[in-house]
Amino acid sequence: MKLDLRQLRHVLALDQYRNFARAAEALGLTQPALSRSIQVLEKSIGAKLFDRDRTRVEPTPVGERLIAQARPLLVRAGDIERDLQQVLGLEVGMLRIGVGPYPADISVGTAVGRLVRRRPVLRVNLSVDDWPALIQRVISGELDVAIAEISLAVEDERLHVEPLPQHPGAFYCRPDHPLANRVGPTLEEVRRYPLVATALPPRLAQLTNAKYLGVLSRLPEGVATPEIRVETFDLVRRIVMESDAIGSAILSQIKDEVALGQLVVLPLELAWLKTNYGVIRLANRTPAPAAITFIDILRAIESEIT
């Protein structure tokens, strides 16, 4: 004996309408197709399920027993189908995202906003951390995906890394800073003032003075710590506005403050001063539908940045 949900739906429809023609119409089948389905099921069970005459169809005792068992089974099957459809449609579930301070300010906040606007029931756990810590949290399985500096992550075979567009960076300071009106400042002049930033990858270690270089216990070898280390970009802006410290950013991050006269961009362009973050997740693991949609939204936002 072999039962399938499709046949059970046919049985319940025939019980509801007690007429092959009306039941077939409700199921979107032809009447002969419904008749064959019921006959195949009866043969499999070894008993008649319905007594038929020219005007009406009545379930037999075996049919009544099958109908009583099939109804809650199909209700439960429908619940399962809806639950899976919701997960695949990103309506429910939890997406765990880790992000570095700079991409958080540049694009990830906007991407998460667009994601939850599209799927308001989706739960999102978004945490901001230094990029070395985020890499370890992805490896441990604590995060589904991280958006962070990729210069060290690309060397780890456990990780799948997708670079995002690079954006040129610039130095900035408060309007009455000693360098604010300096024509053609040099990197050496900028380095005379404390740098406010997150942990710096080896490629940017020259931004800070050698006496401040060092490896913290939880950071990989070669990672530099600036004179003033913070974990959010908003703190960088605030500290720069109130001190002689120097900050770095892409222009879209500080355009409002520059327009209001609260910050000044220094006219020093360095080809290597640019973002280098991307999408980091575990290799050889299929991302959840919610993660795929989030990454698609993030790519679109990143392409809009000028």
Side-chain angles (χ1 to χ4, degrees), residues 135-136 138-139 150-161 280-285:
I135 292 174
Q136 293 305 313
V138 170
I139 292 172
I150 63 172
S151 55
L152 296 183
V154 294
E155 302 172 0
D156 196 320
E157 294 182 352
R158 295 170 294 179
L159 300 173
H160 177 278
V161 177
I280 304 171
R281 58 180 177 83
L282 284 176
N284 303 318
R285 179 175 296 182

Side-chain angles (χ1 to χ4, degrees), residues 160-191:
H160 177 278
V161 177
E162 176 190 338
L164 290 169
Q166 293 184 323
H167 311 297
F171 295 110
Y172 65 94
C173 61
R174 58 186 175 88
D176 51 352
H177 190 282
L179 293 180
N181 297 313
R182 177 80 167 82
V183 178
T186 64
L187 177 59
E188 201 54 45
E189 289 176 315
V190 170
R191 280 161 45 91

Side-chain angles (χ1 to χ4, degrees), residues 8-24:
L8 295 181
R9 290 190 179 97
H10 295 173
V11 169
L12 292 187
L14 190 54
D15 177 59
Q16 178 180 354
Y17 291 99
R18 303 295 175 96
N19 180 279
F20 272 91
R22 291 199 297 271

Side-chain angles (χ1 to χ4, degrees), residues 52 96 131 134 136 219 258 282:
R52 307 150 173 97
R96 303 165 303 168
W131 56 271
L134 292 174
Q136 293 305 313
L219 298 180
V258 171
L282 284 176

Side-chain angles (χ1 to χ4, degrees), residues 19-20 31 50 54 62 74 90 93 131 136-137 201 229 245 266 268 306:
N19 180 279
F20 272 91
Q31 184 174 334
F50 293 93
R54 292 186 177 181
V62 174
L74 288 175
L90 316 184
W131 56 271
Q136 293 305 313
R137 292 173 67 187
R229 181 182 172 211
L266 297 179
L268 173 61
T306 57

